[in-house]
Structures are given as structure tokens and as C-alpha cells.
Amino acid sequence: MWAQAQVLTVQSPNKKIKVQLFNRQQTKSGEWYLSTAYLAEKKETTAIPEIDLGLVRSDQDFSKALKLVKIGQAKLINETYSVLHGKKLACQNAANEVKVTLENATKAKINIIIRAYNDGLTFRYEFPETKGSFQVTDELTSYTIPRETKRWMEKWNPANEGLYTAMSADKVQKQEWGYPALFQTGDASCWYLLHEADLNETYCGTKLSNVKDSTHYKLTFPNQGDGRGQGSSIPTITLPWKSPWRVIIMGGLQDIVASTLVDDVSAPSVVKNTDWIKPGVVSWNYWSSNHGTRDFKTVKAFADLAVEMNWSYTLLDWEWDTMTNGGNVEDAAKYILSKGIKPLIWYNSGGNHTWVSATPKDRMLTHENRVAEFTKLKKMGFVGVKIDFFESEKQDMIRYYLDILKDAADYQMMVYFHGCLVPRGWSRTYPHLMTYEAVRGAEWYNNVPEFTMTAPEHNTILPFTRNVVGPMDYTPVTFTNSQYPHSTSYGHELALSVLFESGLQHMADRPEGYLTLPDTVKAFLKTVPNAWNETRLVDGYPGKTVTMARRKGAAWYVAGINAENKESAQKVQLSFLQTGITYRCTLIADGDHDKAFQTASRIVNNADVLPVKMLRRGGFVAVFTPNQ
């Protein structure tokens, strides 16, 4: 019998996060698992008691009878990098790393690379041999989550557009679940978010399944039926090979919201010249008129809206290839450019993987198609593409996503993926990937009546889940109604412009929705940034309320929303402001009713508290600029 079951401990640089490697048989050979712990206020919480490890390859098993061969020397990862858009522009990839080498009965080796960060931990598998091509028939990574742990999870769907379900104890459902998934430990001191990062064409996307055991969330491969059954759900690898990182963002809710861990562990940018990549706000006609781009005059009206609101872009959505009523796509591009703004344009991802027949369908499907289309778009003055309906996370679809990004970089085209997977860190590698949908956003006011009442709660969950892991195009800030009405206040809608981060922020309302706003509100929307220097959670709890502060230069933008069916009186602590400086605060809050605003101005410093009243399902924004 081996003396100790635990054979390795890796701690974060700040000593708050600990990950340990155990042998289940308490010997040097057998099955292996990780255990994670979090230290808060001198109290250690076991966050995830067991994370099963192992892979099954088509030629042999790497999960049972694994013998410990070597524990490598601890290594400090310490890298700084900058990005062009996101929650924080100056980032740091800093961790303690240890590589463990195991071998199976045939002496074939597998490495487990473990990192502990101040805001979480990551691990990945590595096959170090240099020859061979195999299928990975199963990944046995599985997270054991105690029943008392609270969780917010989205039922798996290929477009990642579901609602989050809050569960614990006997309410935990057995299901397949999408990323990211949020958990709060039973003693309430530790939160963590499960995800994956640095996925590339050497593997497929995975999801979480507790179908067999409600307390065990096993990584599972895509369903064979996804993408109309096209492609294999089993990935094929060529050695040497590394898996994507398995990512656990951990700490308090403030740590979760501020984390850039998904990008930190992903491959650095491969785009040398990035001068052409410009985050910005976009006018978008689909929400208010599903066939808006078919009408040249509607396209002109939304271009004029972007000019009036000082936004950088307007998007031509589907049906641009059948545009009538005074002009076609070439005329539209000329008109938009003549106004001093830039056009973006929609495409169907095409191929047999989608049921959607909307045209143009296949112009992004092959390298040759993309080269021809990007060449034409460049000549017309388009600067970005929105590509829709991927419907699968199989390995061939991951390759398709990345092939699009590589070709788009060659033609200096910004990219927006719609009807797609959730972010896996690609915006760091390909900074012209500006945003993804992969969220139940405002478009769902077009789809179902239930979003009228579920949106307020949903909106307060997204800052702690989906938007943590990368840009999210919710298409926010809609004051008028689409097919189905809002139950949120105008203040709530305005706050979404700050709460939700997206490298291209598509403002979805019709022109009159913005142009009839009070001057102070219009002025705010004309200047609100969408790429940030710093992000901090001020207060909040998923499904209840959230208040967030984001810094752009020396100015701070604060936004808060209330999901509940009762008024909320907030006292916003301003400790995020710089010490020794006074700021002019402009507050735009709910007025007497849900379509009214109340504006106030005052001088504050970081010792002050800002009182704010929110209506039921209400919200507010505040801008703090240094007082000169």
C-alpha cells in the first residue's frame, strides 16, 4: 500500500486555490483524479471533491492501470498580453504549472498538465509521442458536484440559446448541459464556472452530461445527429497532441466576472497587423423588421440612424441579395460609405449541416468560395461578415470556423459568428473575431411570448455565466416592442449597453426607439464604449440583481438591473473610483414609470455611496468622469 493517496499539490500564486492529484487505489498505478479547494478568509472550502481523469483512444485505454512515471518540476507561467476588445484590454496569464507523466500497461504515455491561477485552475491532456493517428473514442473527464451545491445551467442545444435553470439538492435535473456552467458551494463562500478553452481543429467541442448520475458531470462529445448528421462526432487526432484546456474559473462572484482565464490559456494572436480591427456599435434592422434588409429605404434609414447616434457600423442582414425598393446591395454599400460609416453583411454558413435555406448559402463554405466573396466585399467597402447557422461542434465544424477566421484575416474582414458555439478563447488568437451570438438574446422577442417575462431574470444571470467567457451579442437596448412586448423598464434596457460586452454591439431597436429618447439618454448612447480597460462586479446575485462597473480610460460606466417583481433601493459603493480624485457623476435611472427616466448629477469620490432606486424589472446607468 502506498503511504499517501495524494501525490501532488499545485497552488495558485496567491495561495487561495489548490488542486491536488490523487490515486483512487492509493498506489502508484490505477485511476487518477483531481480535487480542488478554495481558501477564503482563512477557511478552506472543497470546491470540487473529484474530477475523474482519462481518455480512451481507438488503439488503447488511458484511464485505468495508469502508472505514475514522473512529476515534473513546478514551472511559473507569467505572460502579459493586450487585446483590442473585451472586458479588460491589458491581461496577464500567470499560474503555477506542473506536468505529470503516466503510462499504461503497454508503456504508452499520457501527460496531465495542471495549472493553478489566482482566478481558477486549468488542466489538459497531452500525448507526447511523435507518430500515429487515432480516434479519441471517449473522454472520461467528469466533475463530481455535491448535491447541496447550487448551479445555474443551460440545457444543451446546438445554438446555445436556452435559458438557465437554477438547481440544487433534489431539484437537480439529469440532462445534457452546455457551457459555461455556474456553481456555488454549499457553504456559499466559493463560486466556480466550468468551461473549456483553446479548442482547435485537433478536437471537437464538448458538453456536460449528468444523465447517468445527477452528481457527476461527464464531458461528452457532440451528438451524431447535430448538423443534420454531417461529420463524425468522434475526433481524430495526430500525435503529438494536446487537448483543449479544461477550465474552472473560481473565487468570489467578483473573481468570476472579472476573469479572462479562457483567453489567458488560449493561443496568442496570429494576426500581425491589427490596425483594421475596430470594435464599435452597430445599427441593426432585423429585430424591428425581420425583412428589413430586403428594403433599400429601410437600409438607408438604419445607416442614417448610425450616423445620428455616432455609431461606427450598420449591418445588412439576410435577404440583402434580394434587396428592392430603390437599390441593391451595391447601392446600399455606396450610400452607407457616403455617410462616413462602414457596412457589415450577413451570410448563411451553408452546406448540408444546416436546415436553413436562406441565401446566400454557400459562399463561405470553401476556401475558394471565401476568397471570391471576400474579394468582392472588399471592393464594395464591407469590413465585416456575420455568419449564421453552424448547428454543430463536431471536429469538422471546428475546422470550418477556424478556416473562416484564417481567410477573413487575409482579407482584413472582421467576423461575427451567429447561431454558433460559445466562445473558447478564439478572440485572443484571432482578434478580428469580434463577437458571437450563442445566447438567448433580444431576438427571442421575435420568437416566443415567454421571453417577455423570463428576460429580466435571464439578463441578471448572463453577466455571471455566458458573458464571462467571451463577447456576447445579445443585440440589446430595445425600448419599443418587437413581436412580443417587454416587461423590463427603459432604465433596464439602457443598462444592458454596459452590462453586456461585445466587440460589435448591435443596437437592435428601430430608429424612432432611439431618436425620441430624452437628450441625456441619447447623449449617453452616442458615447457609450463597447471595449473596456477594466471590469468589476459591484454587487449582485444571479437571477436577482447585478451592478457592474466598467472603465474606459479615466471614466467609469456603471450599470445595474433588477430582475425581481418589486422595487429595489441600491446603495452603490464607489470604492472602484481612484483615490484622491473627485468625479462628476451623471445618473440616468428609472423614472415614475417603466418608460420614464430620471436624471441627476453630483460630485463624488471613492468614499461615497450612490443611492439608486430601481423599479420592478428596472435599471440604471451612471457615468463618472474625473472632475477637472
Side-chain angles (χ1 to χ4, degrees):
M1 181 67 69
W2 207 18
Q4 290 183 334
Q6 177 265 320
V7 299
L8 171 69
T9 297
V10 186
Q11 281 189 306
S12 60
N14 66 4
K15 310 295 188 197
K16 287 188 174 182
I17 289 175
K18 179 171 70 176
V19 55
Q20 296 180 300
L21 177 67
F22 288 85
N23 178 271
R24 194 171 299 284
Q25 287 73 32
Q26 300 191 34
T27 67
K28 287 189 177 181
S29 181
E31 299 170 339
W32 299 83
Y33 68 91
L34 300 175
S35 182
T36 71
Y38 176 68
L39 182 66
E41 298 178 356
K42 298 183 179 181
K43 177 186 177 184
E44 186 172 281
T45 296
T46 298
I48 308 176
E50 294 187 13
I51 305 171
D52 294 337
L53 301 172
L55 295 170
V56 181
R57 221 165 63 183
S58 53
D59 62 326
Q60 53 191 308
D61 187 288
F62 292 86
S63 65
K64 299 179 179 67
L66 290 176
K67 180 183 176 182
L68 178 64
V69 175
K70 180 181 179 183
I71 297 176
Q73 285 194 332
K75 173 174 143 184
L76 177 64
I77 306 295
N78 193 5
E79 170 200 17
T80 57
Y81 67 98
S82 59
V83 297
L84 300 174
H85 54 91
K87 68 176 80 171
K88 183 168 70 171
L89 301 187
C91 303
Q92 184 177 23
N93 179 27
N96 290 317
E97 177 186 289
V98 175
K99 181 186 290 189
V100 178
T101 300
L102 307 170
E103 68 178 18
N104 66 12
T106 72
K107 305 293 186 182
K109 291 180 173 55
I110 184 171
N111 296 329
I112 314 293
I113 304 170
I114 303 166
R115 288 182 181 177
Y117 287 82
N118 288 345
D119 59 346
L121 58 111
T122 67
F123 64 95
R124 76 190 322 174
Y125 303 100
E126 178 182 49
F127 288 128
E129 284 88 353
T130 58
K131 293 181 181 178
S133 183
F134 309 96
Q135 285 187 319
V136 176
T137 57
D138 198 8
E139 178 168 343
L140 301 178
T141 306
S142 179
Y143 302 94
T144 298
I145 311 294
R147 287 171 55 82
E148 66 271 16
T149 299
K150 293 181 182 177
R151 60 209 74 190
W152 289 258
M153 305 184 75
E154 178 187 339
K155 180 181 175 183
W156 161 253
N157 63 98
N160 296 284
E161 293 182 37
L163 295 168
Y164 277 81
T165 301
M167 300 169 286
S168 65
D170 59 349
K171 298 291 194 296
V172 172
Q173 301 173 19
K174 291 184 175 182
Q175 191 61 257
E176 287 189 336
W177 307 97
Y179 292 120
L182 179 66
F183 300 84
Q184 183 188 22
T185 56
D187 66 7
S189 64
C190 173
W191 296 76
Y192 56 92
L193 194 73
L194 299 184
H195 197 45
E196 65 181 6
D198 205 28
L199 169 65
N200 59 36
E201 60 269 15
T202 66
Y203 211 55
C204 60
T206 67
K207 55 185 182 291
L208 299 166
S209 174
N210 68 337
V211 170
K212 291 184 179 179
D213 183 337
S214 65
T215 63
H216 287 74
Y217 291 86
K218 181 187 176 299
L219 268 63
T220 56
F221 294 152
N223 301 333
Q224 185 54 46
D226 293 347
R228 295 184 69 188
Q230 301 296 303
S232 173
S233 61
I234 304 296
T236 298
I237 65 171
T238 300
L239 304 187
W241 172 85
K242 292 179 181 178
S243 76
W245 287 103
R246 306 299 166 216
V247 175
I248 307 167
I249 302 172
M250 185 178 291
L253 272 182
Q254 295 87 349
D255 301 304
I256 303 287
V257 167
S259 176
T260 56
L261 187 53
V262 171
D263 283 351
D264 295 344
V265 299
S266 295
S269 174
V270 296
V271 181
K272 304 302 182 190
N273 171 27
T274 59
D275 293 345
W276 52 278
I277 303 170
K278 305 287 187 185
V281 180
V282 189
S283 67
W284 183 54
N285 65 46
Y286 177 85
W287 186 83
S288 56
S289 174
N290 295 171
H291 303 285
T293 305
R294 191 193 296 173
D295 188 313
F296 178 62
K297 290 183 179 175
T298 300
V299 170
K300 288 174 64 178
F302 275 82
D304 294 344
L305 171 65
V307 173
E308 172 65 24
M309 296 301 294
N310 198 35
W311 298 338
S312 302
Y313 306 103
T314 191
L315 172 71
L316 306 190
D317 214 291
W318 79 311
E319 297 183 323
W320 59 260
D321 54 336
T322 59
M323 194 184 302
T324 58
N325 199 19
N328 58 23
V329 66
E330 289 85 1
D331 300 318
K334 288 176 184 175
Y335 182 84
I336 293 164
L337 292 166
S338 76
K339 294 292 184 174
I341 60 171
K342 300 292 178 64
L344 311 171
I345 192 165
W346 175 96
Y347 285 87
N348 189 334
S349 66
N352 292 327
H353 61 265
T354 176
W355 294 96
V356 182
S357 59
T359 60
K361 186 171 181 183
D362 296 328
R363 298 188 195 178
M364 293 290 131
L365 198 56
T366 68
H367 171 70
E368 292 74 20
N369 293 155
R370 292 189 292 272
V371 166
E373 200 65 14
F374 289 153
T375 300
K376 287 191 291 185
L377 291 177
K378 287 290 286 185
K379 288 181 179 176
M380 285 192 283
F382 286 91
V383 296
V385 290
K386 171 183 176 179
I387 306 175
D388 207 346
F389 306 124
F390 289 90
E391 302 183 25
S392 164
E393 296 183 13
K394 296 174 185 173
Q395 186 176 19
D396 64 334
M397 192 58 64
I398 302 304
R399 184 178 297 112
Y400 181 30
Y401 278 115
L402 298 178
D403 285 347
I404 289 172
L405 290 171
K406 292 169 187 174
D407 287 342
D410 290 341
Y411 286 84
Q412 298 190 346
M413 282 281 164
M414 295 183 292
V415 176
Y416 163 20
F417 289 136
H418 197 79
C420 62
L421 82 180
V422 295
R424 301 304 210 278
W426 294 347
S427 286
R428 181 180 177 192
T429 314
Y430 304 98
H432 57 297
L433 174 53
M434 308 303 289
T435 192
Y436 311 64
E437 185 192 26
V439 66
R440 180 166 292 206
E443 186 179 356
W444 278 79
Y445 288 113
N446 281 307
N447 299 343
V448 289
E450 57 84 3
F451 201 54
T452 296
M453 295 311 298
T454 56
E457 179 179 338
H458 181 62
N459 293 349
T460 63
I461 295 173
L462 294 176
F464 303 109
T465 52
R466 164 64 183 86
N467 212 182
V468 170
V469 302
M472 176 185 80
D473 197 47
Y474 177 102
T475 61
V477 192
T478 52
F479 302 105
T480 67
N481 287 325
S482 183
Q483 275 88 329
Y484 299 102
H486 296 77
S487 63
T488 52
S489 76
Y490 277 21
H492 183 118
E493 289 297 314
L494 185 65
L496 303 184
S497 65
V498 174
L499 284 178
F500 295 161
E501 179 269 313
S502 177
L504 292 172
Q505 186 77 286
H506 289 73
M507 300 295 192
D509 209 345
R510 46 182 58 84
E512 56 267 33
Y514 300 114
L515 300 180
T516 58
L517 292 169
D519 289 345
T520 306
V521 181
K522 262 195 299 191
F524 173 84
L525 286 173
K526 288 179 180 182
T527 57
V528 64
N530 73 310
W532 306 95
N533 294 94
E534 186 178 354
T535 293
R536 296 193 196 182
L537 176 68
V538 177
D539 193 19
Y541 189 87
K544 302 293 185 183
T545 182
V546 57
T547 301
M548 190 180 294
R550 297 192 192 266
R551 181 172 63 84
K552 181 68 171 181
W556 284 90
Y557 291 74
V558 177
I561 56 173
N562 174 25
E564 298 190 279
N565 198 31
K566 60 183 179 181
E567 293 187 1
S568 173
Q570 296 283 313
K571 292 184 177 179
V572 181
Q573 303 286 335
L574 303 183
S575 55
F576 55 85
L577 298 176
Q578 187 175 336
T579 303
I581 296 179
T582 60
Y583 291 78
R584 178 167 294 279
C585 167
T586 301
L587 172 68
I588 306 174
D590 289 323
D592 293 334
H593 54 83
D594 62 0
K595 292 181 172 57
F597 292 101
Q598 185 173 8
T599 303
S601 182
R602 58 187 287 191
I603 302 299
V604 299
N605 61 40
N606 75 339
D608 286 328
V609 174
L610 181 68
V612 181
K613 289 185 179 179
M614 290 188 282
L615 296 174
R616 58 178 187 171
R617 303 182 296 275
F620 73 93
V621 297
V623 184
F624 299 83
T625 54
N627 201 26
Q628 302 297 333

